[in-house]
Amino acid sequence: MSGLSWLRSAALTVGTLLLGGLSAAQAEPVSLDGTELWAMKSAEGRDYRIMISLPEGDVPYTGGYPVIYLLDGNAYFPAFHAAKRAQKRWRGVVLVAIGYPSDTPLDFARRAFDLSPPQPPERNEPAQGGQDLFLDFIEQRLMPRVNQRFKVDQDQRSLVGHSFGGMFGVYALFTRPALFQHVVAISPSLWWRDRYLLEHERAFTQQAHAGQLDLTHRSLTMWVGDREMPQEIQDMRALQRRLENLSQYGLRSDVQIEAGEDHMSIPFRVTTRVLEELLTTRRF
């Protein structure tokens, strides 16, 4: 049976659960059918735990499987893997969750570095500023390995991130728009560092108007809970309105507001809807 080899840091563990009278020391962590686990390093030697939800069925007529890259994999991989397998029509996708060799769902120190822009020295605790290094890891190391392992449709690559991960997704769209066709940013931290993304947005917009970008079939979807800070919701709506000016070049953008959800609950609430957005409602 293929399976994720003892997913020790994901949300589904039973390290402290008693099973049939077994002690916690005798119990084994849950494994997930239809998955693989890779250990990888960045060029700088940073360790990553890559969790793969394997595609099922024949290769699509496009010649390759669509791929969804998921940030904060330790926290969100089990939910996305389960939601993907629950619908037969979604099983023919490769889900690549990027996580860390940590015992917690969210490794705050590691994600603070990987997902953030540089900070002044006096504010750089924990260490931040690794966005471009992390993008290099994804583009130069992770994607080639995924391409080697699976037949991939290079026109069907998506990125999904929450909070800092959503902010990182918007940054990736603005700075490397060819890397992913679709970005889903759940509660992105657009306010971070005095809205530093505005500078990258201006450069991105200028390049689009100058005809320097191919934004055909590109999209940014932002999700937010209606119980989050009003300013955060306003920032997302404002960004979407500004990006509407780029629809003439092919970029599609929208904001979805989820009733009754807050910053920490929304990524689990919208899991199925994110997959629906990426795999069902449109052709990539």
Side-chain angles (χ1 to χ4, degrees), residues 110-138:
R110 288 294 308 275
R111 73 192 300 271
F113 181 80
D114 280 345
L115 304 176
S116 67
Q119 291 275 47
E122 65 273 12
R123 297 171 60 185
N124 198 33
E125 179 62 38
Q128 298 173 51
Q131 285 181 325
D132 289 313
L133 293 175
F134 190 39
L135 279 170
D136 287 344
F137 166 75
I138 294 172

Side-chain angles (χ1 to χ4, degrees), residues 70-268:
L70 175 66
L71 303 176
D72 288 319
N74 297 48
Y76 304 127
F77 177 71
F80 273 83
H81 171 67
K84 174 200 137 179
R85 299 196 84 202
Q87 297 288 339
K88 184 176 181 180
R89 67 187 188 277
W90 295 343
R91 293 177 187 172
V93 63
V94 183
L95 175 65
V96 180
I98 308 170
Y100 305 106
S102 168
D103 292 329
T104 60
L106 293 172
D107 188 323
F108 291 101
R110 288 294 308 275
R111 73 192 300 271
F113 181 80
D114 280 345
L115 304 176
S116 67
Q119 291 275 47
E122 65 273 12
R123 297 171 60 185
N124 198 33
E125 179 62 38
Q128 298 173 51
Q131 285 181 325
D132 289 313
L133 293 175
F134 190 39
L135 279 170
D136 287 344
F137 166 75
I138 294 172
E139 182 175 11
Q140 299 171 16
R141 296 202 170 210
L142 180 56
M143 282 185 170
R145 182 164 178 182
V146 171
N147 294 340
Q148 183 180 37
R149 174 68 176 85
F150 306 102
K151 291 184 177 180
V152 171
D153 186 340
Q154 301 301 329
D155 294 324
Q156 298 193 53
R157 298 192 306 264
S158 303
L159 178 68
V160 178
H162 170 242
S163 192
F164 259 32
M167 176 182 76
F168 176 85
V170 177
Y171 176 79
L173 171 66
F174 289 163
T175 60
R176 305 192 194 191
L179 199 55
F180 303 99
Q181 283 75 33
H182 309 290
V183 172
V184 173
I186 305 170
S187 301
S189 303
L190 301 179
W191 51 270
W192 187 253
R193 200 182 166 194
D194 300 323
R195 296 176 173 80
Y196 84 98
L197 284 170
L198 287 171
E199 175 185 352
H200 299 289
E201 179 191 340
R202 285 191 289 268
F204 174 76
T205 300
Q206 290 171 1
Q207 291 174 334
H209 287 311
Q212 299 171 352
L213 301 177
D214 181 7
L215 299 179
T216 306
H217 303 305
R218 295 297 191 275
S219 74
L220 170 65
T221 300
M222 293 176 282
W223 252 286
V224 63
D226 69 351
R227 293 185 178 179
E228 301 197 45
M229 294 294 292
Q231 185 62 57
E232 296 179 13
I233 299 174
Q234 181 178 329
D235 285 347
M236 276 176 250
R237 283 174 163 166
L239 173 58
Q240 193 274 327
R241 286 194 296 269
R242 294 193 300 271
L243 292 180
E244 282 182 346
N245 295 324
L246 302 184
S247 63
Q248 60 186 309
Y249 308 118
L251 180 68
R252 185 180 71 84
S253 60
D254 64 350
V255 174
Q256 301 287 336
I257 300 178
E258 196 69 18
E261 303 304 323
D262 60 27
H263 191 74
M264 295 309 297
S265 67
I266 189 171
F268 300 101

Side-chain angles (χ1 to χ4, degrees), residues 1-4 7 10-12 30-37 51-56 68 70 72-88 90-97 267-268 271-272 274-275 279:
M1 177 183 71
S2 63
L4 183 61
L7 183 55
L12 301 178
V30 170
S31 64
L32 300 178
D33 188 24
T35 63
E36 289 182 356
L37 176 66
M51 293 155 271
I52 309 291
S53 179
L54 300 170
E56 300 177 30
I68 298 175
L70 175 66
D72 288 319
N74 297 48
Y76 304 127
F77 177 71
F80 273 83
H81 171 67
K84 174 200 137 179
R85 299 196 84 202
Q87 297 288 339
K88 184 176 181 180
W90 295 343
R91 293 177 187 172
V93 63
V94 183
L95 175 65
V96 180
F268 300 101
T271 299
T272 299
V274 167
L275 294 175
L279 300 175

